[in-house]
């Protein structure tokens, strides 16, 4: 599946791949650095729910312990955007390109590994989905999911808003490149 260079100097790569976390989704976006160290993985499933194309974001993993320096470098490269927030925004870009009508993120309380039968794995789930979905503009639903926006408005460019503009530029530059990678134009 496709891979896309991203970050200030294209030193990061965003991979679209099959997921190795079968309980959290069939697909994954994985962000790695130039040394191929995995910095973040967001797993998801695409489905039709009552005839509506729906994307379920079910897993958000950070880097393994001991990678704080790599995380700091990657965060700086992405305009100081926290990696989990970048991954969420990249997923929303992907959903928009795929014309997905509804994006749902799993809440901490209904994550598959919070079930009693996975008690031994529960300690390993360190992500706080609620924080990420809230930062993306999500609204909690009654069934334990977060309804996420299917499009994201870019921050307006102002002198006082230079940091926000750098963050918006990262995503705005990702959108056309991801579209071209997934749907290359056929030569005439």
């Amino acid at each position: 599946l496709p891979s896309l260079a991203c970050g200030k100097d294209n030193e990061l790569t965003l991979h679209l791949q099959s997921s190795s976390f079968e309980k959290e989704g069939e697909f994954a976006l994985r962000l790695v650095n130039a040394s191929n160290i995995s910095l973040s993985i967001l797993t998801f499933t695409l489905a039709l729910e009552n005839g509506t194309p729906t994307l379920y974001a079910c897993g958000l993993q950070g880097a393994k312990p001991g990678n704080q320096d790599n995380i700091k470098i990657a965060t700086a490269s992405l305009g100081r955007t926290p990696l989990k927030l970048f991954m969420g925004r990249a997923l929303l870009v992907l959903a928009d390109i795929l014309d997905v009508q509804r994006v749902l993120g799993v809440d901490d309380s209904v994550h598959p590994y919070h079930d009693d039968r996975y008690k031994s794995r529960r300690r390993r789930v360190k992500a706080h989905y609620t924080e990420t979905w809230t930062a993306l503009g999500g609204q909690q639903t009654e069934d334990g999911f977060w309804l996420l926006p299917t499009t994201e408005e870019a921050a307006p460019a102002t002198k006082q808003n230079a940091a926000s503009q750098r963050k918006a530029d990262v995503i705005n530059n990702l959108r056309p490149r991801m579209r071209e990678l997934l749907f290359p134009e056929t030569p005439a």
Side-chain angles (χ1 to χ4, degrees):
L1 293 173
S3 298
L4 181 66
C6 56
K8 188 171 116 186
D9 296 318
N10 289 330
E11 69 275 18
L12 302 172
T13 304
L14 187 64
H15 296 283
L16 175 60
Q17 61 189 44
S18 60
S19 173
S20 57
F21 301 100
E22 69 280 347
K23 301 231 181 326
E24 295 180 321
E26 291 116 354
F27 300 100
L29 285 176
R30 183 169 67 105
L31 185 68
V32 299
N33 65 9
S35 301
N36 206 35
I37 294 171
S38 186
L39 301 172
S40 188
I41 298 172
L42 196 156
T43 55
F44 61 97
T45 293
L46 291 166
L48 277 177
E49 183 180 303
N50 298 324
T52 302
T54 304
L55 186 150
Y56 291 92
C58 299
L60 185 56
Q61 311 290 326
K64 291 184 178 178
N67 281 301
Q68 286 306 103
D69 290 339
N70 290 318
I71 292 169
K72 286 179 185 177
I73 292 167
T75 300
S77 175
L78 296 171
R80 299 267 171 234
T81 301
L83 297 187
K84 290 178 183 175
L85 191 55
F86 170 77
M87 296 299 284
R89 287 183 174 148
L91 186 71
L92 294 179
V93 167
L94 178 64
D96 184 42
I97 290 170
L98 297 176
D99 202 25
V100 169
Q101 303 299 307
R102 194 165 179 217
V103 179
L104 295 169
V106 68
D107 187 65
D108 297 337
S109 63
V110 295
H111 186 277
Y113 288 136
H114 281 261
D115 189 279
D116 284 340
R117 66 181 150 195
Y118 299 114
K119 200 177 269 188
S120 64
R121 293 185 185 184
R122 196 175 302 158
R123 291 186 308 264
R124 291 191 274 170
V125 178
K126 295 185 176 25
H128 296 287
Y129 301 101
T130 302
E131 293 172 12
T132 303
W133 307 147
T134 300
L136 289 170
Q139 296 181 342
Q140 194 166 22
T141 64
E142 293 178 9
D143 58 356
F145 285 91
W146 286 80
L147 181 61
L148 303 177
T150 53
T151 58
E152 185 174 35
E153 296 296 321
T158 66
K159 289 181 183 178
Q160 297 83 10
N161 203 5
S164 294
Q165 186 59 44
R166 282 192 301 274
K167 290 178 182 181
D169 287 346
V170 168
I171 295 301
N172 291 339
N173 293 332
L174 185 64
R175 183 179 305 277
R177 293 172 60 217
M178 190 182 284
R179 182 178 299 281
E180 175 64 27
L181 190 64
L182 292 171
F183 302 106
E185 294 180 308
T186 54

